[in-house]
Amino acid sequence: MLRNTSLAISLLLAPAHMAFAADVDPLNPGATTSELSHQAPIHWVSVEQVAKSFEGQPPMTIGFDVDDTVLFSSPCFYYGQNKYSPGKFDYLKNIDFWTDINANCGPYSIPKEVAAKLIKMHTDRGDTIFFITGRTASEGEKLTETIQTAFGLEKINPVVFTAGSESKTAFMKEHAIKVYYGDADGDMRQALEIGARPIRVMRASNSTYKPMPKNGSFGEEVIIDSDY
């Protein structure tokens, strides 16, 4: 009798919105301990660990992708699509679009915090840095100036534009780039093709560049908290 009374009291005190264990609530499906603890086998590293790995090594040539690696520039691409080809991707083949954003997108491109840390680390080491983008080159570009100002660089190599001309791989090989930071699967693949060390900077989840890449899919190091 006492047990039945206690159960009745517990049910009366339970919040009205709680479902019984036997019920299936599509809004609150829950998860098993196994599901919650599962993690993909990714080689996570911090910026500090990356810096530590360079200790004792002489200055070298480093490469950085630009969009979604160094700058969060999705606002510019969102604007460009709506202006030059609403609902379509034709704007990416329009030189007017590239001329526009290469010259005017600086104020709307957000420097990524992880890039600031990495660039400072490599600058302090005396490494040569190249910023390599898949964008189409255009007259009057200010992307180089944008990056230099955003990261407080005293000097900077002009941004390398590779669309429609020299591929990233060819440039990286020619300039003996040893480490390449990028967000895209293509960046990791290109680094591996020339024997460079690929290091993944994660793309922000609200980037306009879809579909999202698979971080760690090449066995590369992936920097934690690098989506911003």
Side-chain angles (χ1 to χ4, degrees), residues 123-149:
T123 300
D124 290 346
R125 272 182 39 83
D127 294 327
T128 299
I129 300 175
F130 284 104
F131 298 96
I132 310 168
T133 179
R135 294 189 190 188
T136 298
S138 60
E139 294 293 330
E141 69 89 2
K142 294 184 180 180
L143 183 57
T144 300
E145 179 183 325
T146 295
I147 293 174
Q148 182 172 18
T149 301

Side-chain angles (χ1 to χ4, degrees), residues 51-100:
K52 181 73 174 178
S53 71
F54 292 116
E55 287 187 1
Q57 298 188 42
M60 62 187 73
T61 305
I62 305 296
F64 281 90
D65 170 57
V66 176
D67 296 306
D68 282 319
T69 298
V70 169
L71 300 174
F72 178 70
S73 49
S74 282
C76 305
F77 287 85
Y78 179 76
Y79 149 81
Q81 183 179 42
N82 288 327
K83 179 177 180 179
Y84 294 99
S85 61
K88 301 179 180 179
F89 292 95
D90 296 348
Y91 72 104
L92 294 173
K93 300 177 182 179
N94 187 338
I95 189 60
D96 291 336
F97 160 72
W98 291 113
T99 300
D100 189 353

Side-chain angles (χ1 to χ4, degrees), residues 17-18 35-36 47 73 91 99 191 196 210:
H17 67 271
M18 289 182 63
E35 290 170 335
L36 291 172
V47 172
S73 49
Y91 72 104
T99 300
K210 298 292 192 299

Side-chain angles (χ1 to χ4, degrees), residues 15 50 77 112 134 141 146 160 176 200 213:
V50 172
F77 287 85
K112 294 188 67 170
E141 69 89 2
T146 295
V160 180
R200 179 89 68 161

Side-chain angles (χ1 to χ4, degrees), residues 5-201:
T5 301
S6 298
L7 177 59
I9 293 174
S10 297
L11 292 175
L12 288 172
L13 293 177
H17 67 271
M18 289 182 63
F20 291 106
D23 295 337
V24 177
D25 184 351
L27 296 180
N28 300 285
T32 66
T33 301
S34 178
E35 290 170 335
L36 291 172
S37 63
H38 175 72
Q39 294 291 329
I42 293 175
H43 184 179
W44 296 105
V45 293
S46 65
V47 172
E48 292 73 20
Q49 288 173 319
V50 172
K52 181 73 174 178
S53 71
F54 292 116
E55 287 187 1
Q57 298 188 42
M60 62 187 73
T61 305
I62 305 296
F64 281 90
D65 170 57
V66 176
D67 296 306
D68 282 319
T69 298
V70 169
L71 300 174
F72 178 70
S73 49
S74 282
C76 305
F77 287 85
Y78 179 76
Y79 149 81
Q81 183 179 42
N82 288 327
K83 179 177 180 179
Y84 294 99
S85 61
K88 301 179 180 179
F89 292 95
D90 296 348
Y91 72 104
L92 294 173
K93 300 177 182 179
N94 187 338
I95 189 60
D96 291 336
F97 160 72
W98 291 113
T99 300
D100 189 353
I101 72 156
N102 287 341
N104 304 314
C105 189
Y108 312 104
S109 297
I110 303 173
K112 294 188 67 170
E113 292 181 20
V114 65
K117 295 176 182 179
L118 291 169
I119 291 169
K120 183 179 186 307
M121 180 264 290
H122 284 293
T123 300
D124 290 346
R125 272 182 39 83
D127 294 327
T128 299
I129 300 175
F130 284 104
F131 298 96
I132 310 168
T133 179
R135 294 189 190 188
T136 298
S138 60
E139 294 293 330
E141 69 89 2
K142 294 184 180 180
L143 183 57
T144 300
E145 179 183 325
T146 295
I147 293 174
Q148 182 172 18
T149 301
F151 298 103
L153 299 172
E154 292 185 9
K155 59 181 180 178
I156 182 176
N157 289 309
V159 169
V160 180
F161 293 83
T162 60
S165 57
E166 186 175 33
S167 70
K168 281 188 178 184
T169 305
F171 181 89
M172 291 162 63
K173 185 175 182 179
E174 179 183 352
H175 291 80
I177 286 179
K178 301 299 183 184
V179 180
Y180 190 60
Y181 297 94
D183 68 288
D185 291 344
D187 295 326
M188 303 296 97
R189 185 180 298 107
Q190 290 155 353
L192 290 169
E193 286 177 1
I194 66 161
R197 176 183 174 185
I199 301 181
R200 179 89 68 161
V201 171

